[in-house]
Structures are given as C-alpha cells and as structure tokens.
Amino acid sequence: MEKKSRRRPRRDEDEVIDSFSQLSLSRVNGEVNKMKKVDMIKLLKKNSLNSNGVKEVLGRRLKNYYRKQRMKEESDTVQCYKYFVVIDFEATCESGRNLDYLHEIIEFPAMLLDAETGKIVDQFHSYCKPTLNPKLSEFCVSLTGISQSDVDAAPKFEEVFKRFENWMIDKNLLMDRKSFAFVSDGPWDFSRFLNIQCCLNEIQYPKWARKWINLKKVFGNFYKINKPKIEEMLSNLGLKLEGRLHSGLDDAKNLSRIVAKLVEDGCVLQINERLNAGRLEPVLQTDLNKFKAKLEVTSAQSGENHICKTEVDSDDLNKDFSNGKRPVNCEIEDCKVSIPNKPHGSTEDLSNKLDLCKI
C-alpha cells in the first residue's frame, strides 16, 4: 500500500508576505532572515518603503517596519534627543606613522540635524590656523583639499572654539543637556583631536564634549555590518559619496545623510562613548539609565558639576606637580590637577600637557 506524502505544499511568496500581519514579531524576523534580497525589495516596494541598500540594510528596514506596525505606531520612532550635531574635524598630518606628531585642528565643521526627521537645519564651519606646524605638508593638502591660503587666512582655534560655543548658545543647545547629542565617525574627533587641541591652547575641555555617538558603532550594530567606513556606509545604504572624502565639511554632510537614513529605518541613536578621567570608554545602556536618573534628580538644582582644567587620568593625581607649575582652581576634593606655567609651545610644556591629557 502506497504511503501518502505528508509533505506540506510550498507556500507562494505572496502568501508568506500577506501572512506577516498574523505572525509574531519573532516569526516575522525569522521569515525576513530567510528571504532573498529580491524578495525583500519586492516587499519593501509593496509597503512603499525605500528599497535601496545591501541585504542587511533591507532586512533591518523590514523588521523595523513590522515592529512599528505591531506596536501600532503612527509616527516615526521617537529619538532620545531633539537635535544631533554631526562633527568631523580635519587636522594637520604628515605621511607615514609618527606617534610623536601633534595634530592640530584645521577644519571645524558641524551639522545641526533635526533628530526626528534627520534633516539638516543649520551648519557651522570654519578653518583654523595651526600654530605648531603653520605650514601644511603636501600630504595634508592632498588628503584634505585644504590649501595653505585657507589656513593662513583663518582665525586661530581659540577664536573658532568661542564662535562655535556662541553658535550652540544661539541654537539653545546648551540650555538643556538632554536637547542634543554629538555624532562623529569614530572616537578620535573628541578623544584625540579636540582633547589635544584644548591641551595645547590651555582651554578647559568642554563638559558638553565628554559624551558622543560613535556612528560606526551604531551603524554596525543596527545593520549587523562590521567596522564600516564612510564610503562603505553610504554604499550599503544605496547612496553615493557627495563631495570630497576627507573634506571636513563634505564628510560631515555625508555623515548627516547616513544619520538621516538610520532615523528613517527606525534606529534610535544614543550616546555610546565618552571621555572619563581622560580615558576613552564605551557607554553601556546601564550607564545611560543611571545618567538619565541622575538628570531627573539634579534637574531642579542650580549650578553645574565642576570640571577640571583638562581631562586627567586618575593616576596622574598622585604625581608631583610642584616643579614650575601652577595649580588649577578645582572644587573637587583633593584634586591636584595642574598645567605647566611655561611659555606656550615649548617641547617640555607640550609633553607635560599631553601627560595630563593621557591621549
């Protein structure tokens, strides 16, 4: 006697798609994972969604779409901040790998983005005149496209820094610490370039620059793509590079386009890196929860927490700063942070400052 086949008939792809509304989110995610790219594109178009990008991007876009549908969200994902400020510094450089070379910021761009729409609403931009290495190397000019005349005619960093702070004040960004977050392409804009520059110019490292969003991490974690560069992030999203790579202004604009696509795809961007006592650290979700709780407790209190003159490693607090240095007025108990009391620019002076900065 012939046995009847118990094999279930293969469902048509349209039948699978039409059944998504009845499936649990975990089942939906599983079905999306099994789909081919061509089927993802078909489903995205059916739901009037953006169908550009690599398979990982398309899959994540679909999953977020059905998550929103299941949770009956009629609007876009609510971001944690009102604005994003996208930064991409350019600095002096030379060919080869010289660990003793001190990079100075020579281009200071910032894009102000509406966090809910991802659209640019304003921008800040200025070149900066370097003082340690006033003549740009041929390698630097070729890499960044910044000419010698651009920096010769530019104000020094101290002035640009003040102008940027005034720009943020004009945009009401510093009135509420929760109103915005910086976004950068990696950790080095703040932890290295700005940190070094503040040390060199004896400028108090700004409290507002202690935490930021590392876009590489957000992009990689959200779309499950490892360590992407700017051009790779754009390509993965189906976008083309606009302008010149390593131009600070063009890079900041391209990073802003990437942020806009992340927002469109339902990604909630949150701070994920910080400078803590001069050390670069990841910011975990538990840290964010504690930070938010602390804000709620202290929001009604007047005044700000004190910051030392420079970002200093705790190990440095035990060093002897008595030889030719003046102490910084610091309200932290037992804080012995100091900066050199010598003419700016001397080799010993710079070495001492960078010891304090712990770059």
Side-chain angles (χ1 to χ4, degrees), residues 259-272:
V259 171
K261 286 299 180 183
L262 281 162
V263 170
E264 181 183 313
D265 285 345
C267 177
V268 178
L269 284 80
Q270 298 189 68
I271 287 170
N272 55 17

Side-chain angles (χ1 to χ4, degrees), residues 278-290:
R279 288 178 175 155
L280 175 64
E281 291 183 349
V283 175
L284 307 177
Q285 187 60 47
T286 52
D287 297 322
L288 288 171
N289 293 337
K290 290 178 182 178

Side-chain angles (χ1 to χ4, degrees), residues 89-260:
F89 298 127
E90 295 302 324
T92 56
C93 54
E94 59 183 17
S95 60
R97 185 173 177 83
N98 183 357
L99 298 178
D100 295 326
Y101 186 85
L102 295 175
H103 302 275
E104 294 177 271
I105 293 174
I106 55 175
E107 187 177 9
F108 198 134
M111 299 290 126
L112 181 64
L113 275 65
D114 184 307
E116 293 302 320
T117 65
K119 294 182 178 180
I120 298 174
V121 295
D122 201 4
Q123 71 177 49
F124 173 91
H125 180 261
S126 178
Y127 292 112
C128 307
K129 180 186 291 185
T131 56
L132 291 179
N133 298 288
K135 182 173 176 56
L136 302 181
S137 67
E138 292 183 8
F139 174 79
C140 184
V141 172
S142 175
L143 180 70
T144 65
I146 300 172
S147 68
Q148 187 65 47
S149 59
D150 287 333
V151 295
D152 286 344
K156 292 182 179 179
F157 177 80
E158 301 97 307
E159 182 180 337
V160 175
F161 182 81
K162 290 178 182 178
R163 284 174 49 198
F164 179 68
E165 282 199 322
N166 289 333
W167 176 78
M168 288 198 295
I169 292 171
D170 290 341
K171 302 303 173 184
N172 296 317
L173 297 178
L174 300 183
M175 299 296 291
D176 181 359
R177 290 170 60 190
K178 295 181 289 184
S179 67
F180 81 102
F182 284 108
V183 179
S184 65
D185 181 33
W188 308 123
D189 290 279
F190 293 101
S191 67
R192 177 171 294 174
F193 296 137
L194 184 59
N195 203 356
I196 288 177
Q197 194 70 60
C198 287
C199 288
L200 296 178
N201 292 104
E202 298 185 4
I203 296 173
Q204 175 176 320
Y205 189 90
K207 189 170 188 177
W208 42 259
R210 283 187 165 190
K211 298 181 178 73
W212 60 89
I213 297 170
N214 181 333
L215 190 60
K216 286 184 187 295
K217 286 185 177 181
V218 172
F219 191 97
N221 292 334
F222 188 72
Y223 294 122
K224 308 303 180 188
I225 298 174
N226 292 329
K227 299 180 180 179
K229 297 179 180 179
I230 291 181
E231 58 269 39
E232 293 169 342
M233 288 190 280
L234 290 168
S235 177
N236 288 332
L237 292 169
L239 302 174
K240 292 184 178 180
L241 178 74
E242 293 182 357
R244 178 193 180 104
L245 195 62
H246 297 302
S247 159
L249 185 61
D250 290 343
D251 282 352
K253 289 180 178 178
N254 281 309
L255 291 171
S256 299
R257 295 167 64 209
I258 294 168
V259 171

Side-chain angles (χ1 to χ4, degrees), residues 82-93:
K82 187 176 181 181
Y83 296 105
F84 297 123
V85 179
V86 181
I87 295 280
D88 194 86
F89 298 127
E90 295 302 324
T92 56
C93 54

